[in-house]
Amino acid sequence: MNEMRLATFNLENLDWSPGRPEAFARRRAALLPLLDDIDADILCLQEIDAQKTSKHGPRAYLALDRLFDGTRYAGFHRFTSLRPGADTPADVHNLAILSRWPIRIRRQIHHEIVPPWPWPPPRDGDVTPPPIAIGWDRPMLYAAVELPDGRLLHVVNLHLRAPRPVPVPTARGEGSSRALIEGQFVAALKREGQALEARLFAETIFDAEPDALLAICGDFNADEHDAPTRLLRGGRDQGEDAPRALLALEERVAPASRYTVIHAGRPTLIDHILASHALAAMWRSTAILNAGLQDEFYAKDPIDGSLHAPVMAMFEISG
């Protein structure tokens, strides 16, 4: 049997500093066993910081290079995100797709389908607040990977905004209850708006290839019942038999182990691998590597490893 192992892993602000080599060494020592256990052929990563090559130099993926130096992943094909509108990475929260096999198409998507828009906050007494721009915090990545049998696997790597209030200026001040309420609403618009863009992008793939092998992977900052996940799955309310519905492969793990983050003692599933029907037909197993996962609410800096558990799905392929 020929296997393909597809995984997603939030690396929790992976960083490196020449002044703190011991801190990075501890993180690397905690992350590498997980990455070895995943043994991925295609790996979607989130929360990768980029470091300056010199005091005034551009940012580059120095931490990522050091993480994979000397490992099986060092020779993988790599596609990484850029700050929208720039030719260098953002300082934090970048994305990467690594693949054992060639990446034939690479595309960064940021407001290509759903444009940014202004949201006018409601009046507060005699004050009319200025509009607030609704835009995504970061792009998403799309890669078409050529499998050994010549077929293309379409992979989307996505990291949606966390559901924390966005700072919103109001006449009552940023710390007021009104500002927090409106900020929570703006965060929802950002999170669900980008989920909509990812799902509409998936629709374009299905338009061109109805039986596409498609996976949407990443940190959705949403559990299986939240609106972003429902948007991305598409057709859930019609049932999983809907032709373009995406199937949640992480939900095939036993309930007791079905979580990727622990928050204040509550296990939560916010990292996902969604698969098209054609890809799910090749599925054989799913694993969530959450043994020993720290509770993110109580964890103290510096964090060793990650506060997210990686998710890996294994498929049977030909060729």
Side-chain angles (χ1 to χ4, degrees):
M1 180 178 71
N2 293 306
E3 296 180 353
M4 174 187 71
R5 297 163 72 95
L6 170 66
T8 183
F9 193 11
N10 183 320
L11 294 178
E12 202 74 47
N13 292 311
L14 180 72
D15 200 6
W16 171 82
S17 168
R20 300 182 61 200
E22 69 290 341
F24 182 79
R26 286 195 303 270
R27 292 212 66 192
R28 188 173 189 267
L31 289 170
L32 284 186
L34 288 170
L35 291 163
D36 287 341
D37 288 344
I38 292 169
D39 195 22
D41 300 297
I42 300 169
L43 181 58
C44 294
L45 300 172
Q46 304 88 40
E47 289 202 28
I48 306 165
D49 293 357
Q51 298 74 35
K52 288 193 173 184
T53 55
S54 61
K55 184 176 181 180
H56 302 291
R59 292 188 180 274
Y61 287 107
L62 305 182
L64 192 64
D65 291 341
R66 282 167 170 77
L67 176 65
F68 290 132
D69 184 37
T71 73
R72 59 189 296 276
Y73 296 105
F76 275 31
H77 303 272
R78 186 191 297 185
F79 177 33
T80 50
S81 61
L82 300 174
R83 182 188 297 276
D87 58 1
T88 55
D91 54 346
V92 298
H93 284 199
N94 294 288
L95 307 171
I97 299 176
L98 281 70
S99 173
R100 173 193 300 278
W101 302 299
I103 299 175
R104 296 306 184 195
I105 304 172
R106 304 165 183 244
R107 184 174 170 187
Q108 177 169 293
I109 300 167
H110 188 257
H111 287 300
E112 292 187 19
I113 300 174
V114 178
W117 71 94
W119 176 67
R123 287 176 57 85
D124 185 6
D126 295 331
V127 177
T128 301
I132 296 172
I134 306 299
W136 321 149
D137 294 343
R138 45 195 161 260
M140 59 182 165
L141 293 184
Y142 161 69
V145 176
E146 184 178 341
L147 299 178
D149 61 7
R151 290 183 296 172
L152 290 181
L153 173 64
H154 305 276
V155 180
V156 175
N157 185 6
L158 184 62
H159 183 191
L160 298 179
R161 181 187 172 84
R164 291 190 292 269
V166 174
V168 172
T170 71
R172 306 184 191 200
E174 287 192 7
S176 68
S177 62
R178 185 182 181 102
L180 292 173
I181 291 165
E182 292 184 0
Q184 190 71 64
F185 178 69
V186 171
L189 292 177
K190 288 172 170 280
R191 184 178 63 152
E192 285 149 42
Q194 192 172 26
L196 172 64
E197 179 158 71
R199 178 63 214 197
L200 293 180
F201 176 72
E203 290 292 305
T204 67
I205 294 175
F206 284 128
D207 287 343
E209 192 179 344
D211 294 324
L213 303 177
L214 168 65
I216 298 181
C217 308
D219 177 1
F220 298 175
N221 271 307
D223 69 22
E224 61 267 43
H225 305 295
D226 285 342
T229 311
R230 295 171 68 88
L231 270 170
L232 288 162
R233 291 185 65 168
R236 177 166 183 168
D237 292 333
Q238 308 168 41
E240 289 193 341
D241 291 336
R244 294 188 175 191
L246 298 181
L247 310 183
L249 302 183
E250 69 283 357
E251 290 185 7
R252 299 180 178 186
V253 172
S257 300
R258 196 183 300 160
Y259 63 92
T260 58
V261 166
I262 304 172
H263 183 80
R266 178 174 172 263
T268 308
L269 182 65
I270 65 173
D271 302 87
H272 304 268
I273 298 178
L274 308 182
S276 64
H277 282 281
L279 180 59
M282 300 158 51
W283 173 86
R284 294 297 175 266
S285 64
T286 303
I288 302 176
L289 283 66
N290 49 27
L293 189 64
Q294 300 179 71
D295 190 316
E296 66 173 2
F297 188 78
Y298 301 109
K300 305 294 184 184
D301 287 331
I303 295 166
D304 292 339
S306 175
L307 298 175
H308 290 247
V311 183
M312 186 279 296
M314 192 269 284
F315 306 85
E316 182 178 352
I317 60 174
S318 58

